Amino acid sequence: MRHLHFLVALAPGLALAAVSASQGDLPLTAPVPGGVAIVCVGQAPSPAPHVVFDGQRVLVARVGDVWHAVVGLPLALRPGAHELSVLDGERSARTIRFEVGTRKYETQHVTIADRRKVEPEPEDLRRIARDQESLVRAFSTFSDSAPEGFAFDLPSTGRVSGGFGLRRFFNNEPRLPHSGLDIAAPEGTPIAAPAAGSVLETGDYFFYGRTVVLDHGQGMITMYNHLSRIDVTKGARVARGEKIGAVGRTGRVTGPHLHWSVSLNNARVDPALFLSSEVRKQDSAGLRPAALGGASAESTPIRCGE
Ligand SMILES: [Zn+2]
């Protein structure tokens, strides 16, 4: 069984990436804060188990005859031992332990000319709280339909101007780490859905500006921020490659760019882990997953022992 799982871990970086989505082309595994852990949770043909991590339902994907939990690990998660709660049909819940390693992300200093976007006023704080509530509700959504796959396209052409996980200082004030990937592009550059999904939310937020949130199924949610224009409406189905809006400079920005977030079980994780190997080859520096650090994609085989 070990060999099968080793192959699964390698698949996204090799020619095997062409396997069909129904076979579960899983994201790259990076069991660190801001990364993704892939944990064996059962054997098919038994039905997919119900898996919960930290109170959130977890995506479960079948590869061959094995069910894998694809667990998003928040940037704020403490390294060490963690547990999944697994429920098979009528049987009582069991727990599966997995280890989370450490990852030191780089530091970035950003100068924001609009001081109010760094030191919000009381009325802004009320709006920010409403924004947060709406976004957490979106990110906590778990729809039963399975994602079509995990090998994403890049949603916009452009240069990576801010990697995932950067420990950020705005005008020298420490702020939350960077929970997405920034792609700098001229205003009006089209943004396309990197995978099929449905529009979960659209809005205009204080920090994030004009925003689209897509639901790809089973808690896999992606978000697009700072848009100049939104081209979809809430509830609409979008196909892979369909235009959802255009790059802009709304919200807290230093210039036009797309901030792209990927979330699993309400944890924002490194979007580069989900890019197809073809996409990652186009820009080896900017699109190398920060959650992997210096490690190669092959270095973390997935164990599946009973
Ligand atoms: Zn960003």
Side-chain angles (χ1 to χ4, degrees):
M1 291 313 286
R2 258 191 90 94
H3 296 289
L4 171 66
H5 297 103
F6 193 62
L7 276 176
V8 169
L10 286 171
L14 296 180
L16 288 171
V19 299
S20 74
S22 62
Q23 290 224 284
D25 46 342
L26 300 172
L28 296 177
T29 175
V32 296
V36 173
I38 297 177
V39 181
C40 173
V41 288
Q43 303 279 333
S46 301
H50 181 115
V51 178
V52 172
F53 176 59
D54 198 20
Q56 294 279 332
R57 184 91 181 265
V58 171
L59 192 156
V60 173
R62 182 177 168 172
V63 178
D65 61 352
V66 174
W67 291 111
H68 294 90
V70 182
V71 191
L73 307 173
L75 275 165
L77 193 66
R78 94 193 131 66
H82 288 271
E83 282 183 350
L84 297 177
S85 172
V86 181
L87 190 66
D88 310 279
E90 301 298 302
R91 280 196 281 159
S92 55
R94 56 194 166 102
T95 55
I96 296 181
R97 281 165 67 96
F98 67 100
E99 285 292 320
V100 173
T102 57
R103 173 69 63 238
K104 199 163 165 34
Y105 292 97
E106 284 171 31
T107 300
Q108 185 189 40
H109 284 266
V110 181
T111 304
I112 302 285
D114 181 358
R115 207 182 52 80
R116 194 167 161 182
K117 287 281 194 275
V118 180
E119 303 289 344
E121 294 176 9
E123 63 195 273
D124 300 332
L125 291 172
R126 282 192 291 277
R127 183 176 164 201
I128 291 163
R130 280 199 307 276
D131 292 355
Q132 265 322 99
E133 205 177 296
S134 153
L135 291 173
V136 165
R137 196 181 325 118
F139 283 126
S140 305
T141 301
F142 191 94
S143 48
D144 282 323
S145 58
E148 281 185 8
F150 300 95
F152 284 176
D153 298 322
L154 206 56
S156 174
T157 54
R159 171 183 65 84
V160 173
S161 58
F164 175 85
L166 292 168
R167 294 176 297 146
R168 282 189 147 172
F169 293 80
F170 289 107
N171 303 352
N172 291 321
E173 296 283 337
R175 289 294 180 264
L176 288 174
H178 192 219
S179 59
L181 191 67
D182 287 345
I183 302 167
E187 188 151 354
T189 302
I191 299 168
S198 63
V199 181
L200 192 55
E201 195 61 81
T202 63
D204 190 353
Y205 301 105
F206 184 80
F207 288 129
Y208 287 121
R210 288 196 191 105
T211 293
V212 173
V213 183
L214 298 181
D215 179 5
H216 303 281
Q218 287 201 21
M220 186 159 77
I221 313 286
T222 59
M223 179 170 78
Y224 308 82
N225 305 116
H226 311 307
L227 277 49
S228 59
R229 204 179 62 240
I230 293 173
D231 292 333
V232 287
T233 53
K234 194 170 168 173
R237 286 290 310 171
V238 292
R240 181 178 193 155
E242 191 173 329
K243 193 179 173 202
I244 58 172
V247 172
R249 47 183 311 144
T250 55
R252 182 174 63 188
V253 296
T254 56
H257 74 281
L258 168 66
H259 172 101
W260 178 35
S261 291
V262 175
S263 181
L264 286 170
N265 49 270
N266 192 23
R268 259 54 83 210
V269 294
D270 187 350
L273 295 170
F274 296 78
L275 294 172
S276 69
S277 55
E278 292 81 1
V279 172
R280 271 184 286 111
K281 264 182 250 154
Q282 289 165 21
D283 177 349
S284 56
L287 296 177
R288 194 180 61 217
L292 285 173
S296 63
E298 296 86 342
S299 64
T300 28
I302 301 152
R303 291 197 309 111
C304 188
E306 288 294 325

